[in-house]
Amino acid sequence: MGKAYCTRCAKRFPSQQALQQHYDDSPRHYRCDICGFDGSTWEKFLQHNRKTKHRVVCQGCDDGEGIAWIAGSQEYLVHLKEQNVCQACEEHFDSSSNLHHHQMVHLPRSIECYGCYRKFSTLPAMIIHLESGACPSGIDIVDLNESAAMCFQWKAYLHEDYQNELLNRVDLLSKYGNSVYPFKCPECDTRVTKLSGLLQHVYSDACNQSLYEGKIAKLTKWLEKRYSVDEE
Ligand SMILES: [Zn+2]
Ligand SMILES: [Zn+2]
Ligand SMILES: [Zn+2]
Ligand SMILES: [Zn+2]
Ligand SMILES: [Zn+2]
Ligand SMILES: [Zn+2]
């Protein structure tokens, strides 16, 4: 009889079975099936699983409450796929392309900004930083566009109607809004509004071209050279 006692709740139960039932139902007990660990809160239970890997925690589940899944189980694998789950930070995404884009934040940061000392995990991410006007160097979208229009390979990725305006440092977005697509992919002709969009397109799985080959490589090398502080 003395054995069917819950110390945490200071409660006695008529049988082991009733005590077990209490453990299962009570919001003060979250037990690990594998080692018998008994968390007093859901959060502690999840922490236990993060530490021991007895279960895989997905914090994005259940509206952010988190669920502890059986690692490698069919259900968990289906969940990862259906909810576009990032396993590094347990977030859920609306689409696989959003997930793919997000996962760049987990890559090592090795691309240094042309103008400042900030580092980025990808070249497109660094170009977005410059285009946003946030870089203390003052390099912005107008500068980048001008540089892109100066490269001898410009015809490969820039629509010819816009070269002059870009060379004259016209801010296309404020002049025409988002409806102009001056840049195009040299490989598949996809049209985009910004240089960063072009680089993102090339970087993504959507296109066979890569950032470091062909005409895009000429462009990225040109930009690097133009903004490198040491040379010239
Ligand atoms: Zn209890
Ligand atoms: Zn455990
Ligand atoms: Zn989840
Ligand atoms: Zn993530
Ligand atoms: Zn910068
Ligand atoms: Zn393409």
Side-chain angles (χ1 to χ4, degrees), residues 32-52:
C32 174
D33 297 344
I34 294 185
C35 68
F37 168 86
D38 182 5
S40 58
T41 63
W42 179 244
E43 196 36 57
K44 285 186 179 150
F45 173 73
L46 293 185
Q47 269 170 24
H48 165 76
N49 283 293
R50 283 211 174 85
K51 219 184 290 164
T52 60

Side-chain angles (χ1 to χ4, degrees), residues 59-117:
Q59 195 69 55
C61 284
D62 205 6
D63 281 330
E65 290 296 308
I67 285 182
W69 297 84
I70 298 175
S73 65
Q74 193 58 29
E75 291 91 336
Y76 179 58
L77 297 178
V78 168
H79 168 63
L80 290 181
K81 216 170 168 190
E82 278 182 349
Q83 304 287 317
N84 302 296
V85 178
C86 173
Q87 287 177 266
C89 61
E90 303 165 14
E91 257 183 81
H92 296 183
F93 291 87
D94 293 337
S95 67
S96 61
S97 70
N98 284 355
L99 169 62
H100 182 87
H101 185 224
H102 156 80
Q103 281 171 328
M104 292 177 194
V105 306
H106 299 302
L107 296 173
R109 294 172 176 263
S110 57
I111 309 264
E112 193 169 297
C113 176
Y114 294 149
C116 70
Y117 292 102

Side-chain angles (χ1 to χ4, degrees), residues 98-150:
N98 284 355
L99 169 62
H100 182 87
H101 185 224
H102 156 80
Q103 281 171 328
M104 292 177 194
V105 306
H106 299 302
L107 296 173
R109 294 172 176 263
S110 57
I111 309 264
E112 193 169 297
C113 176
Y114 294 149
C116 70
Y117 292 102
R118 278 191 65 182
K119 286 197 170 158
F120 297 86
S121 49
T122 67
L123 181 64
M126 189 266 280
I127 297 294
I128 289 171
H129 156 72
L130 289 173
E131 285 179 343
S132 76
C135 184
S137 68
I139 300 171
D140 62 10
I141 187 165
V142 171
D143 286 290
L144 285 174
N145 285 351
E146 181 193 21
S147 303
M150 285 165 74

